[in-house]
Amino acid sequence: MAIARLARLGRQAKRPFGLCVKMTAVAILGLCFIFVWSMFSSPANSVTTQRESFDDISEPTSATTKVSDSRTQSIKKNPKKHEISKEEDKKVNLESDLDKKVNGTVSSAVHRHESRKKNDRKQVSNVKKEKDSVKSSNVETGEKNEKSEEEEQEEEQVVVDGKEEESESENEVNVDTEGDGGDLVQAVDEELAVENVEDDSGGSRGEGKKRKFKGPVFDPKAHYSWRLCSTRSKQNYIPCIDIESSTGKIPSYRHRERSCPRAPPMCLVPLPHGGYGPPVPWPESKLKIFYKNVAHPKLAAYIKKHNWLLEYGEYLTFPQNQSEFKGGVFHYLEAIEEMVPDIEWGKNIRVVLEIGCADSSFVASLHDKEVITLSLGLKDDLVDLAQVALERGFPAFVSPFGTRRLPFPSGVFDAIHCSGCSIPWHSNGGKLLLEMNRILRPSGYFILSTKHDNIEEEEAMITLMASICWNILAHKTDEVSDVGVKIYQKPESNDIYKLRRKKNPPLCKEHENPDAAWYVPMKTCLHTIPSAIEQHGSEWPEEWPKRLETFPDWSNDKEKLIVDANHWKAIIDNSYLAGLGIDWSNIRNVMDMKAIYGGFAAALAQQKIWVMNVVPVHAPDTLPVIYERGLLGIYHDWCESFGTYPRSYDLLHADHLFSRLKNRCKQPVAIVVEMDRILRPGGWAIIRDKVEILEPLEGILRSLHWEIRMTYVQDKEGIMCAQKTLWRP
């Protein structure tokens, strides 16, 4: 018994000792595993688990240095925090940029057009810490590093606002590194794969891989020789619209949708066969233009059938008060005001969209009433009446109007007019009319005039208008003009949508961005009407001209708007109007190629001109502010050709355009070729940018036989004033 008891006590004593041995062995094995793992793992992987953002790096990456994959992995692991830090950093840079503008320095901030997203408090506190570190870094490294840092941020971001169903042009122009680029691209950084990133429009921002190109914008050693374009449209060539193809028996000419060539056009559009005369100065151009400047075979046939334009010697004339309306256009406009007294042309109604260019006398008459009218030239209009409107000095652009949204934000036009409309508004689920509903301001007016009503189409239109809750204010056939005029009004609130028995078309989803317009397909849904005070379109703007100087309450950047307005007013009054040698009496059609708040256009309001404010698609979405001030504008990507005819503008203004686009476009030289296409012979270009860009750019312009009238340089920034010659050898 004693022996058995001793053995049992011995076993009990050994148990705890055996357990300790096992635990010790496990700990030793774990330490060995950690040591071996640290020896064989990549040091870059350890960095990605700690660093959430590279925005605090002050020195830019060298063009010949490859960036490791850790950056891409970091973005994938913390996409929200990374995006927030970039947006906050851009706010800091914009504020400092506008402060520098007041002191006379040139703007250098680069931002992106994207939707804001809400985040939790923890993320916001992290952003503030990173924001403080960026501020101190910028102070230490100076303005040059600040610009480089902003440019790198822009390079990494996908810029297409919405899903491109046929992402042909964007991929071909921005991704392909082969072709005629040559030494323009010094190095190609790593590819940033951004796959199926959802944006507010409900579509994918980008599919596939996006490359960023580094190096100088223009190769200073390059030599250029130019040839004329040999296209079917000849002197009226519009790239991305006039695409020739011989796949079928009959060559196709104009496509149903915008479709850009594989490589940017690097040829020069020839002058008209009969020669080109200096444009008739404004306001004489309202009444006559040189016929040879717009000559077209189909235009000659059109003139014989219509009385609002006449061929008189070498001129194409436009008799006053002659129009498609028998009683004259003045009678037509007065009849509209009598039917709806709230339509006060030039006061309550300032910005109008004209669908088609069938009768530019309507636009001319509205101009006399202080109404600025933008004419949409439908690209299947082979008569090229939009070119006639531009030659007369009236705003117009050319665009397809089929399946994609027009390049405008939502709720910006006070009225939309369609005269002699043959557009099938009711077909395809009413997509085209729903697009009008998107861009029409709440309580805005849709004016439709037709001479003959089809009973079936009339019934379909009544049903469609009722389904989108548009109220018909007037329906009258004018006894003098024999034209049936219908005036509809868009609802001013969402209450009426709730009363619909049939929810067809349905309301758009909340995450779908109504302002997303570049390569975004039309939607068969109704966007809700803005109701919050911080949303644009929630209130009708001030009457014109008070509207121009009134900054909207929904804007979060009122101080920046004021700074921007004062900045451009000082530059134009002290420099542009008197110091550049430009005869402004010969300037009518002006384009601001990189507009922000419309300050440049507003400062020129006293001149007898109009300005097309182009907001690049990769920039902040400031276009609603421009329309709120009673000005015109459009979205565009300058890596592609602009939707207008050759020889459309008298003056082009490019404020730091090239320095912001150099890492987006495959061939920045193609932008200069596009400027040559849309600028009239004898026209002017004012270019503000870095000296490193202006120096090689001067050589390119001289190769195009432009004359450099003035170049002024200060602190590595400069301004160049160039004139396109009337004749080229």
Side-chain angles (χ1 to χ4, degrees):
M1 293 292 293
I3 295 173
R5 185 175 298 173
L6 289 172
R8 189 162 50 251
L9 290 172
R11 286 194 298 272
Q12 291 175 356
K14 289 179 181 179
R15 285 175 185 171
F17 177 78
L19 180 62
C20 292
V21 171
K22 292 178 182 179
M23 292 178 64
T24 303
V26 171
I28 293 173
L29 289 174
L31 293 172
C32 293
F33 178 79
I34 293 173
F35 177 78
V36 172
W37 177 263
S38 63
M39 292 292 293
F40 287 93
S41 63
S42 171
N45 292 337
S46 63
V47 175
T48 59
T49 59
Q50 299 174 13
R51 182 176 291 278
E52 296 178 353
S53 173
F54 282 75
D55 294 335
D56 57 345
I57 298 178
S58 60
E59 291 294 330
T61 306
S62 172
T64 56
T65 305
K66 290 186 178 180
V67 183
S68 66
D69 294 338
S70 62
R71 184 176 187 121
T72 306
Q73 295 174 5
S74 174
I75 295 174
K76 289 181 179 179
K77 287 188 177 184
N78 301 282
K80 290 184 178 180
K81 293 182 180 180
H82 189 80
E83 181 179 356
I84 298 168
S85 65
K86 288 194 290 186
E87 290 186 5
E88 290 293 328
D89 294 344
K90 287 183 285 184
K91 288 182 182 178
V92 176
N93 291 331
L94 179 58
E95 292 170 1
S96 62
D97 171 69
L98 288 174
D99 290 339
K100 284 182 278 186
K101 277 187 172 184
V102 177
N103 296 325
T105 56
V106 185
S107 170
S108 63
V110 179
H111 304 292
R112 185 165 72 98
H113 174 194
E114 64 180 0
S115 302
R116 305 279 181 178
K117 295 184 179 180
K118 294 183 180 179
N119 302 275
D120 54 44
R121 294 181 180 179
K122 183 178 179 181
Q123 290 174 328
V124 173
S125 63
N126 292 336
V127 170
K128 290 181 178 179
K129 292 179 182 179
E130 293 184 9
K131 178 178 177 181
D132 295 336
S133 66
V134 173
K135 278 186 177 179
S136 60
S137 174
N138 287 342
V139 171
E140 294 173 359
T141 58
E143 182 180 353
K144 181 177 179 180
N145 288 343
E146 178 183 316
K147 293 176 183 176
S148 300
E149 195 171 2
E150 288 177 334
E151 289 171 5
E152 284 196 337
Q153 289 179 4
E154 183 189 27
E155 293 164 18
E156 298 159 8
Q157 297 166 346
V158 180
V159 298
V160 176
D161 188 2
K163 184 175 181 180
E164 160 63 300
E165 290 180 330
E166 305 170 1
S167 56
E168 176 183 12
S169 60
E170 188 253 337
N171 289 333
E172 288 165 353
V173 173
N174 295 327
V175 178
D176 187 12
T177 59
E178 299 178 359
D180 299 330
D183 295 333
L184 296 177
V185 179
Q186 297 292 323
V188 179
D189 265 359
E190 65 170 358
E191 297 175 353
L192 295 179
V194 186
E195 299 180 357
N196 300 325
V197 181
E198 294 295 324
D199 71 353
D200 289 347
S201 65
S204 173
R205 279 183 182 261
E207 296 181 357
K209 296 182 178 181
K210 182 84 174 177
R211 293 183 183 178
K212 27 174 214 179
F213 302 99
K214 285 217 157 189
V217 180
F218 306 114
D219 184 2
K221 299 179 181 179
H223 297 280
Y224 301 93
S225 59
W226 306 99
R227 61 178 179 83
L228 296 180
C229 301
S230 56
T231 59
R232 177 180 171 183
S233 47
K234 300 178 182 177
Q235 74 272 10
N236 290 334
Y237 178 45
I238 309 176
C240 300
I241 292 181
D242 297 340
I243 308 295
E244 299 182 9
S245 174
S246 57
T247 54
K249 295 182 179 180
I250 302 176
S252 60
Y253 176 42
R254 291 191 171 176
H255 286 249
R256 296 309 258 168
E257 286 299 341
R258 184 179 175 88
S259 178
C260 295
R262 289 186 173 273
M266 295 295 288
C267 60
L268 306 182
V269 176
L271 292 175
H273 180 69
Y276 182 83
V280 177
W282 182 268
E284 293 179 46
S285 60
K286 291 171 59 178
L287 301 177
K288 66 178 182 179
I289 60 175
F290 280 114
Y291 186 24
K292 62 182 180 182
N293 289 0
V294 296
H296 191 279
K298 292 186 179 294
L299 179 60
Y302 182 88
I303 294 173
K304 296 178 181 179
K305 300 178 182 179
H306 299 81
N307 65 348
W308 64 272
L309 69 174
L310 301 171
E311 184 179 356
Y312 187 78
E314 62 179 349
Y315 295 104
L316 193 61
T317 62
F318 308 92
Q320 285 186 316
N321 204 28
Q322 287 290 332
S323 70
E324 296 291 279
F325 313 107
K326 292 181 181 179
V329 67
F330 295 128
H331 173 78
Y332 175 70
L333 293 176
E334 290 174 359
I336 291 175
E337 281 191 289
E338 288 178 2
M339 286 187 281
V340 182
D342 287 340
I343 297 180
E344 296 180 89
W345 301 116
K347 292 183 179 180
N348 192 37
I349 303 298
R350 163 63 181 173
V351 184
V352 175
L353 177 66
E354 166 74 2
I355 303 298
C357 301
D359 186 354
S360 59
S361 62
F362 174 78
V363 178
S365 299
L366 283 179
H367 176 271
D368 295 336
K369 293 178 175 288
E370 292 292 318
V371 176
I372 185 167
T373 306
L374 179 60
S375 296
L376 168 61
L378 303 179
K379 54 90 188 160
D380 54 357
D381 169 26
L382 300 181
V383 181
D384 295 328
L385 292 177
Q387 188 180 31
V388 175
L390 286 164
E391 189 72 16
R392 294 183 68 183
F394 299 124
F397 80 107
V398 183
S399 173
F401 187 43
T403 61
R404 293 183 188 143
R405 287 179 172 179
L406 295 174
F408 306 114
S410 63
V412 292
F413 288 102
D414 304 334
I416 298 176
H417 179 263
C418 189
S419 174
C421 257
S422 58
I423 296 176
W425 298 106
H426 58 281
S427 61
N428 296 323
K431 271 188 177 182
L432 300 181
L433 191 64
L434 288 170
E435 175 63 4
M436 297 294 98
N437 183 79
R438 182 185 72 86
I439 63 177
L440 185 62
R441 187 180 295 278
S443 298
Y445 303 95
F446 183 75
I447 304 171
L448 186 66
S449 65
T450 55
K451 288 189 176 182
H452 303 287
D453 290 332
N454 182 288
I455 297 178
E456 294 181 358
E457 292 181 357
E458 178 72 14
E459 292 178 353
M461 282 292 291
I462 292 174
T463 303
L464 179 59
M465 292 296 186
S467 68
I468 64 175
C469 302
W470 280 17
N471 182 28
I472 182 165
L473 302 179
H475 181 189
K476 180 181 178 182
T477 299
D478 187 75
E479 297 179 357
V480 178
S481 62
D482 194 29
V483 171
V485 181
K486 300 174 186 176
I487 303 176
Y488 300 90
Q489 187 175 32
K490 180 179 175 179
E492 61 179 355
S493 69
N494 295 306
D495 295 339
I496 195 170
Y497 292 150
K498 301 175 183 178
L499 302 177
R500 294 187 304 165
R501 294 182 179 179
K502 296 182 180 179
K503 309 299 182 182
N504 186 33
L507 296 179
C508 298
K509 298 178 181 178
E510 292 184 0
H511 70 272
E512 291 183 346
N513 182 9
D515 295 332
W518 187 249
Y519 283 114
V520 174
M522 292 181 186
K523 311 289 185 180
T524 53
C525 62
L526 282 169
H527 285 285
T528 55
I529 295 171
S531 55
I533 192 172
E534 63 271 11
Q535 294 178 293
H536 77 84
S538 57
E539 295 182 356
W540 196 273
E542 296 282 349
E543 289 186 352
W544 182 263
K546 185 180 178 182
R547 178 173 177 174
L548 180 65
E549 303 298 335
T550 303
F551 302 115
D553 293 332
W554 47 262
S555 174
N556 296 323
D557 303 323
K558 269 194 173 184
E559 293 183 1
K560 296 174 185 177
L561 286 170
I562 297 172
V563 170
D564 180 74
N566 294 335
H567 164 71
W568 284 113
K569 189 177 187 307
I571 287 181
I572 288 174
D573 290 345
N574 300 329
S575 176
Y576 282 13
L577 293 180
L580 299 183
I582 298 175
D583 183 1
W584 287 88
S585 64
N586 292 326
I587 303 298
R588 172 61 183 171
N589 301 353
V590 178
M591 175 186 286
D592 190 359
M593 300 178 70
K594 193 178 77 67
I596 302 179
Y597 299 115
F600 170 80
L604 288 170
Q606 299 302 318
Q607 305 298 317
K608 297 178 179 180
I609 66 169
W610 66 271
V611 180
M612 176 64 80
N613 295 279
V614 181
V615 174
V617 295
H618 68 281
D621 186 12
T622 56
L623 196 50
V625 177
I626 292 173
Y627 273 95
E628 196 77 6
R629 300 182 69 182
L631 303 170
L632 292 178
I634 196 171
Y635 294 126
H636 184 63
D637 184 353
W638 281 113
C639 296
E640 301 180 6
S641 294
F642 191 77
T644 191
Y645 289 91
R647 308 171 301 279
S648 293
Y649 289 89
D650 302 307
L651 186 143
L652 302 177
H653 181 251
D655 180 24
H656 285 76
L657 174 71
F658 294 99
S659 57
R660 299 299 168 260
L661 294 178
K662 72 171 186 177
N663 297 310
R664 295 198 59 253
C665 303
K666 174 185 173 183
Q667 290 181 298
V669 179
I671 304 174
V672 185
V673 177
E674 177 66 4
M675 293 173 67
D676 184 84
R677 186 186 73 87
I678 66 178
L679 188 64
R680 291 172 174 171
W684 295 79
I686 304 174
I687 305 169
R688 302 166 61 92
D689 224 307
K690 301 177 182 178
V691 174
E692 63 188 51
I693 292 174
L694 294 181
E695 289 179 347
L697 178 59
E698 180 177 341
I700 299 173
L701 294 177
R702 291 188 185 278
S703 72
L704 292 167
H705 299 281
W706 286 33
E707 295 182 2
I708 309 302
R709 297 297 185 182
M710 190 203 72
T711 302
Y712 176 75
V713 176
Q714 183 179 6
D715 299 332
K716 298 184 179 181
E717 299 282 340
I719 177 172
M720 178 189 296
C721 185
Q723 186 178 25
K724 181 179 176 181
T725 54
L726 283 171
W727 307 108
R728 248 195 295 252

